[in-house]
Amino acid sequence: MRPFTYERAPDALSAVKAVAENPGAKFLAGGTNLLDLMKLDIERPTHLVDVGRLPFAGVEEVNGGLRIGGAMVNSKLAAHPRVRELYPVLVRALVSGASGQLRNKATTAGNLLQRTRCAYFYDTTKPCNKRQPGSGCSALEGVHGAHDAIFGASKACIATHPSDMAVALTALGASVETLTPTGASRTLAVQDLHRLPGDTPQVETDLAPGELITAVLVPPPPEGGQVYRKVRGRASYAHGIASVAVAGGRVAFGAVAHKPWRAAHTEDALSSGASPAEAAEAELSKADRNDHNALKITLVGRLAAAAIEESKTRRVA
Amino acid sequence: MSSVKDWAAPNPITENRGGLIGKGVDRYEGRLKVTGSAPYAYEVEAPSRPAIGYMATASIAKGRITRIDTSAAEASPGVLLVWSHLNAPAQAPRGTRANPRSQRPSNPALASDRIENFGQTVAFVVADTFENARAAANLIEIEYAAEQGVVDFVASFDQADQPPGEEDVHIGDFPAAFAAAPVTVDETYESPVQNHVQMEPCATTAWWDGDKVTVHTSIQMVKGGQHALAETLAIPSDHVHLLTRYIGGGFGGKGQAYDDLILSALAARALGQPVKLAYTRQQMFHGTIHRPAVSMRVRLGAQPDGRLTAFAVEAITHCARNAIFTEHAANFSRNLYAAPNRLTGHRLVKMDLPGAGPMRAPGEAPGMLSLECAMDELAEKLGLDPIELRIRNEPDVDPETGKPFSVRQLVQCMRDGAARFGWERRNPKPGQVRDGRWLVGMGMAAAIRGNFLLPAKAGVRIDADGTITLRQGMTDIGTGTYTILAQITAETMGVPMEQVKVEMGDSNFPPAPGSGGQFGAATAGSAAYEAGMNLRKALTELAVGDPNSPLYGGPAEYVTFENGNIAIENRSETLAALVARAAPEGVYVEGSISPAADARDYSQHTYGAHFAEVGVDTVTGEVRMRKMFGVFAAGRILNAKTARSQITGGMIWGVGTALTESNVVDARYGSFINQDMAGYLVPAHADIVDLDAIFLDEADDKANPMGIKGVGELGICGAGAAVANAIYNATGVRLRDYPMTPEKVLEGMLAVGL
């Protein structure tokens, strides 16, 4: 950990300005990811602006949907009665992530902005374009096939976004509300928040420097069942090998790309009456197939088909 | 030298009048631990505030440092000292044993520009705070001339040699018998590099007083650590006072001294102030030893009735080029099943990976993953129940040596376990049982692990207030040693537990070999028992020779010790009264144990049977435990609670072995890819459901005076194989490559059309 300064922001606008004005500054909320990465010398902020105590920790009803505060912690969100009632897919995704202790600290906004769990990103002795742009991607020819991206990867990065929550939010068509350094707020869809790696995998979202996620807006639940299924090496506290969220006719995949992956081709196929397996295949036929990932593509296809099938038997009360 | 016959007579432990032996007594130090007030090595209070060390480690697997620039680190805030191989203090060359009696030789840090493995310590910073030390360490610039190392195990089998000084064991004519056998199995099983991932990383706090150093460190062997430090610093061993009072897990990984011990002692001397140093979680993976990968070929030849006629278990494994260690993965099979024609042996590849070394049940833990699956495969070919196949090959005497067994209840373990687990529910035809989206299967495996008794001493004193204090240079690595030593001492002396104190983990105390090889309880406990018996003698003499004692003049052979009293029939007084009056300065005696001269005339092991029920997700290949049960026979059990914790902990480790644990080597870099507990997966609570174990009634009077045996390693032996066999029974997919991750299981399911 390198020396850094710290301030607790009195309000959102000062927080945003403080980060925007200082290229070495970062927001700190739950700290479950950022502080770990600082200790490993992967993140090297010179200044931290603590937004964890700003009043963005509630859930409000908005037009039949919910507005979730960016600072609300994952465990409270998963336990919220209205969330449990309206969005079981979100609850399942939340409790599939991390461990109980981490969910007690991790915030909604922080969960969206967590960084990849690629083992090469975590090992500072190895090249990684995210950590050190231009150094190369050691995962490309590495040994960690099960966690590699199968959609939208580039020669510069094959890492995946690790959030479970973001996959459910993508399936639910949620968006984020932000505060920009000018004091204006804007909204963008969760599915548009993260970028594909391209040549700049170190740039992970479309947020401007200093732009703060203040809330997540979830539209009213879609018609139809909701399901979240995650495949992982152990039953708890493990980064997914793959996950699938289904909310009515909307489908998203997790741990398959640099962002939560909306399976638009699957959705189209479903709306034209395809079987779950056919619908899953519609998206997976577009995957970046290589020598290492055929099994993962098969796995996601089977998981998606099973989740879609299961969603038909589940209805939101 | 004693004989096992000397141990057969009744004694206070085997008579157990106080009922303390076997009782599920709470942990002696449990309250301290759960309240956070047991000071571990990094937390002990030093005479003054310690400076904090941090190690920088190599980013290549093999080669040499061509340039190292520490100037930025030296100028960094709070930095007190920066060392590399260029300016580290002189230490004895590696392997030096100036004192021939030293249990461990010199183990210098920062000794040269050579890099022998990824993660080797290459520089060391001491600063006023941990954060400053770490920040400075990150500023050190190092350039290397890298060399090609041997880091790919499977690609290096052609370099495998006989381990030094070992030969294969041939009995009968295996090749002919195997060729003639009507039913055969010939399969190879792979197990990966595993890591101990102890909760507490290796850590030391050190300070000097003149030319003597005090170190609090996390190590399983007191004398080994003391001697390694003394040899490295080239000082007499009695100038090293080593303490290791609480240890947050060892599992074999803390059997030796690492750089934390050496560097903190050197820096404390150089700076004239206490220094402490801990490995980070990431550094533990490469900076300390691991369990090596093992590739095992098993060949079994059987008659149609299941009797084995040909039996071969051969292991290839690896170790670091300059630290020879053999994972004796085939040894266990020499004592397990009868077969007239036998071949067992090992081959070793010297590699440029970090050091391989002991990890919980070295040998058996990876070894049984092969044979116990091969037996399952053979049982299916024969149309026999896997338990019945094992029973048909149950030997009357040790199958390799012909020696009698001291006691062997393997068959009873399997039969009891089958009944309690509900083995009859198992459908022998795989892939038949469904529960929703899960395919359900059951598997079993035998367990065997050797039993050992090493030389040890113990001291015990009684003070005028009646308090009895056991002192021993023993360690408790979280297993319950404090507790069982207190039980043994209390039962031997006939006093309540509250009257007994246990002090250990101190190189000034009478030496014991420490924790390892599941020899700890028997070895340290027997010495404690002998010390207690000597104290009884001393107190008896005191009482019958003291005119003021009600026992005065009584026959010494009639003296009893019960309920805190010393008595001859109806004449008694409390121990406290006796000592306060007759020996107010207290009485201190020592006792010792050593292996019986004729102990080797018996084949002596602990045994068990594992039963596992798993569900396999038909969509994803994920394996989840549904039930696990084990029955074990391990001599007299000292503490029902700590023994059960140890044995079920081993079984849980078996689950991790079967399903998740693996340190994958990236051959491009010669390093492990997962270096934290988010990447190296051990079972979490959610992975373990409905797991239990019981012990059969047993006393092994050939083992030691108490008839006890170890339980520290038995639980993991065979456990993973039971899980693997359950996966097969669930799916019909026979995997022979551990761990059985969702990817591997799914691949296998796809291959059989699931």
Side-chain angles (χ1 to χ4, degrees):
Chain A
M1 195 180 283
R2 314 229 166 188
F4 62 92
T5 51
Y6 167 92
E7 70 174 284
R8 187 179 295 165
D11 55 69
L13 193 57
S14 359
V16 164
K17 285 188 189 303
V19 173
E21 284 163 8
N22 182 345
K26 279 193 173 287
F27 294 118
L28 172 71
T32 57
N33 193 215
L34 178 62
L35 295 182
D36 281 359
L37 294 172
M38 287 169 68
K39 290 172 184 174
L40 293 168
D41 206 32
I42 295 168
E43 292 276 11
R44 300 171 174 186
T46 54
H47 185 62
L48 290 182
V49 178
D50 191 341
V51 294
R53 301 181 199 213
L54 294 180
F56 300 134
V59 171
E60 301 163 52
E61 308 254 355
V62 180
N63 304 326
L66 294 181
R67 184 178 186 281
I68 300 160
M72 184 158 196
V73 299
N74 292 171
S75 52
K76 283 193 178 162
L77 181 59
H80 193 279
R82 285 295 279 164
V83 176
R84 294 175 66 87
E85 189 180 337
L86 298 175
Y87 309 114
V89 64
L90 178 57
V91 173
R92 290 303 308 166
L94 280 163
V95 300
S96 299
S99 67
Q101 294 92 331
L102 290 169
R103 293 194 294 270
N104 283 338
K105 286 296 286 180
T107 63
T108 304
N111 185 316
L112 288 170
L113 298 180
Q114 66 181 299
R115 305 200 68 189
T116 185
R117 298 283 161 181
C118 176
Y120 294 95
F121 173 68
Y122 269 80
D123 182 345
T124 54
T125 67
K126 312 286 191 286
C128 172
N129 288 321
K130 267 186 187 300
R131 250 191 294 107
Q132 226 179 338
S135 61
C137 172
S138 44
L140 211 54
E141 299 300 327
V143 292
H144 227 228
H147 292 295
D148 296 349
I150 58 171
F151 290 104
S154 71
K155 290 283 180 206
C157 183
I158 58 167
T160 58
H161 193 260
S163 171
D164 291 289
M165 183 192 78
V167 183
L169 291 176
T170 298
L172 288 166
S175 50
V176 296
E177 187 179 282
T178 71
L179 186 62
T180 65
T182 62
S185 81
R186 67 161 177 157
T187 60
L188 70 165
V190 169
Q191 71 179 64
D192 297 330
L193 172 64
H194 301 89
R195 298 159 57 106
L196 289 177
D199 294 331
T200 55
Q202 74 277 16
V203 185
E204 293 173 353
T205 70
D206 275 332
L207 296 178
E211 189 170 1
L212 177 70
I213 297 176
T214 50
V216 169
L217 303 166
V218 195
E223 286 290 315
Q226 299 180 19
V227 169
Y228 188 76
R229 288 273 298 271
K230 176 180 182 177
V231 182
R232 48 182 159 178
R234 64 180 168 195
S236 172
Y237 193 24
H239 168 205
I241 298 166
S243 70
V244 172
V246 182
R250 294 177 60 107
V251 181
F253 301 159
V256 297
H258 203 249
K259 58 188 288 185
W261 192 257
R262 184 167 169 204
H265 298 100
T266 296
E267 294 176 8
D268 291 345
L270 283 176
S271 61
S272 0
S275 73
E278 290 164 352
E281 178 55 24
E283 190 69 32
L284 288 155
S285 64
K286 307 282 192 293
D288 311 328
R289 198 170 280 273
N290 62 36
D291 295 346
H292 313 297
N293 67 12
L295 190 71
K296 179 156 179 175
I297 292 171
T298 302
L299 171 62
V300 177
R302 289 164 71 101
L303 186 69
I308 293 165
E309 189 69 50
E310 191 182 337
S311 74
K312 293 178 176 175
T313 64
R314 295 212 178 164
R315 285 286 180 272
V316 176
Chain B
M1 220 175 189
S2 55
S3 158
V4 294
K5 294 187 187 70
D6 304 335
W7 296 339
N11 65 48
I13 299 299
T14 59
E15 290 187 335
N16 195 22
R17 289 187 188 177
L20 293 174
I21 299 303
K23 193 174 174 185
V25 175
D26 287 347
R27 276 177 197 269
Y28 176 87
E29 81 292 13
R31 191 178 186 87
L32 291 178
K33 283 183 175 169
V34 299
T35 55
S37 46
Y40 287 76
Y42 201 70
E43 296 146 6
V44 293
E45 199 172 332
S48 61
R49 187 168 175 267
I52 316 288
Y54 191 90
M55 295 179 287
T57 58
S59 60
I60 63 166
K62 185 178 187 181
R64 146 181 110 67
I65 299 169
T66 54
R67 188 181 77 90
I68 183 159
D69 182 353
T70 56
S71 54
E74 283 158 20
S76 193
V79 170
L80 301 169
L81 167 162
V82 182
W83 283 341
S84 69
H85 67 282
L86 297 175
N87 65 337
Q91 301 155 72
R94 181 160 62 190
T96 304
R97 217 182 280 260
N99 180 347
R101 293 165 63 91
S102 285
Q103 292 179 9
R104 286 273 181 177
S106 168
N107 182 35
L110 303 172
S112 86
D113 60 351
R114 292 296 308 170
I115 303 300
E116 295 180 354
N117 62 264
F118 183 96
Q120 175 184 322
T121 309
V122 290
F124 178 55
V125 177
V126 182
D128 55 345
T129 66
F130 175 77
E131 287 74 17
N132 278 339
R134 181 171 55 186
N138 285 332
L139 297 173
I140 296 171
E141 290 175 24
I142 307 173
E143 288 170 17
Y144 300 96
E147 296 163 22
Q148 185 60 47
V150 176
V151 293
D152 187 335
F153 174 54
V154 174
S156 312
F157 286 177
D158 58 339
Q159 299 176 37
D161 273 329
Q162 197 91 26
E166 294 186 17
E167 286 179 9
D168 293 345
V169 174
H170 296 268
I171 292 172
D173 185 346
F174 169 78
F178 186 69
V183 185
T184 59
V185 167
D186 179 357
E187 297 293 351
T188 300
Y189 304 81
E190 316 288 343
S191 63
V193 171
Q194 286 190 337
N195 212 286
H196 308 77
V197 289
Q198 307 95 333
M199 283 296 285
E200 179 206 23
C202 292
T204 303
T205 301
W207 63 84
W208 290 76
D209 185 3
D211 58 358
K212 293 186 176 164
V213 65
T214 298
V215 286
H216 286 260
T217 191
S218 184
I219 195 166
Q220 292 170 228
M221 279 79 175
V222 174
K223 281 288 166 195
Q226 180 195 26
H227 294 169
L229 182 57
E231 290 286 356
T232 307
L233 272 52
I235 59 176
S237 62
D238 61 4
H239 286 207
V240 174
H241 185 196
L242 184 141
L243 299 106
T244 178
R245 288 190 177 134
Y246 303 103
I247 300 169
F251 309 117
K254 292 178 181 169
Q256 62 192 79
Y258 296 107
D259 293 346
D260 60 309
L261 179 62
I262 308 302
L263 288 172
S264 57
L266 286 171
R269 186 171 67 185
L271 292 169
Q273 72 173 107
V275 171
K276 66 181 183 178
L277 168 61
Y279 278 76
T280 66
R281 174 59 62 197
Q282 286 76 14
Q283 288 170 346
M284 285 296 289
F285 280 85
H286 292 98
T288 70
I289 57 170
H290 57 262
R291 190 200 298 286
V294 186
S295 176
M296 295 190 78
R297 184 180 183 194
V298 180
R299 283 175 288 171
L300 302 174
Q303 297 303 303
D305 66 359
R307 276 182 306 109
L308 288 167
T309 50
F311 181 93
V313 179
E314 296 163 286
I316 308 174
T317 181
H318 61 91
C319 67
R321 191 171 301 285
N322 297 315
I324 300 303
F325 168 84
T326 306
E327 180 82 31
H328 284 114
N331 277 5
F332 79 95
S333 70
R334 295 171 176 166
N335 314 104
L336 192 51
Y337 301 122
N341 302 289
R342 312 172 69 90
L343 164 62
T344 48
H346 303 87
R347 295 294 180 275
L348 191 58
V349 187
K350 292 177 194 160
M351 296 179 67
D352 299 295
L353 290 174
M359 181 166 141
R360 202 169 196 177
E364 284 84 346
M368 297 197 80
L369 299 171
S370 65
L371 176 61
E372 287 307 287
C373 287
M375 288 294 279
D376 204 65
E377 301 197 41
L378 181 63
E380 190 184 32
K381 283 193 176 179
L382 291 162
L384 279 177
D385 183 90
I387 296 176
E388 181 58 28
L389 173 65
R390 287 168 170 87
I391 291 173
R392 289 189 188 182
N393 289 289
E394 174 69 6
D396 298 325
V397 293
D398 188 284
E400 181 174 303
T401 63
K403 290 176 183 176
F405 296 112
S406 60
V407 51
R408 174 166 161 132
Q409 296 202 77
L410 174 58
V411 170
Q412 196 60 37
C413 288
M414 292 191 288
R415 287 193 166 133
D416 263 34
R420 288 166 184 265
F421 178 79
W423 182 246
E424 79 286 350
R425 295 178 294 129
R426 174 180 178 266
N427 185 333
K429 192 172 172 205
Q432 302 300 304
V433 182
R434 273 194 88 112
D435 180 357
R437 70 175 201 249
W438 301 91
L439 277 167
V440 178
M442 298 183 200
M444 64 80 57
I448 181 172
R449 170 73 188 169
N451 184 62
F452 309 96
L453 180 70
L454 304 180
K457 292 182 177 171
V460 62
R461 71 172 288 119
I462 181 165
D463 286 306
D465 65 355
T467 300
I468 296 171
T469 304
L470 182 81
R471 285 187 153 186
Q472 194 174 35
M474 180 56 189
T475 55
D476 186 330
I477 57 175
T479 48
T481 313
Y482 275 107
T483 316
I484 56 119
L485 291 179
Q487 287 174 275
I488 290 167
T489 303
E491 188 62 55
T492 305
M493 297 308 301
V495 301
M497 293 282 292
E498 301 74 49
Q499 208 171 321
V500 173
K501 290 206 299 192
V502 178
E503 297 176 354
M504 67 164 90
D506 187 324
S507 61
N508 289 343
F509 293 167
S515 303
Q518 79 171 19
F519 55 67
T523 299
S526 294
Y529 156 79
E530 295 288 356
M533 293 306 285
N534 289 341
L535 184 58
R536 285 168 64 120
K537 271 186 218 132
L539 295 178
T540 297
E541 284 168 20
L542 200 60
V544 300
D546 176 6
N548 294 319
S549 170
L551 281 65
Y552 178 64
E557 60 272 29
Y558 290 164
V559 171
T560 59
F561 290 79
E562 272 181 88
N563 303 320
N565 296 322
I566 182 169
I568 296 175
E569 294 181 336
N570 65 349
R571 291 184 284 156
S572 76
E573 65 175 327
T574 65
L575 295 178
L578 168 65
V579 174
R581 183 187 66 249
E585 71 289 358
V587 179
Y588 174 80
V589 299
E590 293 189 354
S592 65
I593 190 75
S594 53
D598 48 359
R600 286 167 185 268
D601 295 347
Y602 299 88
S603 177
Q604 196 173 91
H605 302 272
T606 58
Y607 298 94
H610 295 279
F611 295 83
E613 180 179 325
V614 304
V616 181
D617 189 312
T618 47
V619 174
T620 64
E622 289 164 290
V623 179
R624 297 289 181 257
M625 300 303 298
R626 292 164 65 97
K627 185 180 168 95
M628 196 165 185
F629 186 71
V631 177
F632 300 92
R636 177 176 278 109
I637 296 304
L638 289 170
N639 182 318
K641 191 189 269 189
T642 57
R644 180 184 174 280
S645 287
Q646 270 200 287
I647 212 92
T648 53
M651 293 164 71
I652 291 167
W653 207 328
V655 173
T657 297
L659 301 181
T660 56
E661 287 186 53
S662 172
N663 257 148
V664 181
V665 177
D666 188 328
R668 298 170 301 168
Y669 306 106
S671 76
F672 304 132
I673 285 311
N674 20 32
Q675 300 170 22
D676 58 38
M677 293 178 76
Y680 184 90
L681 301 185
V682 299
H685 281 93
D687 292 294
I688 304 301
V689 291
D690 193 1
L691 183 145
D692 203 1
I694 60 160
F695 293 96
L696 297 183
D697 272 346
E698 186 174 292
D700 189 336
D701 62 7
K702 310 294 189 297
N704 51 62
M706 302 184 292
I708 71 160
K709 293 193 276 198
V711 296
E713 298 183 332
L714 179 62
I716 188 175
C717 301
V723 176
N725 291 335
I727 293 171
Y728 175 75
N729 182 244
T731 60
V733 173
R734 179 65 74 178
L735 298 178
R736 300 182 186 89
D737 182 18
Y738 295 88
M740 297 175 183
T741 58
E743 304 95 281
K744 290 181 195 168
V745 176
L746 177 59
E747 197 166 24
M749 294 199 314
L750 292 170
V752 301
L754 281 170

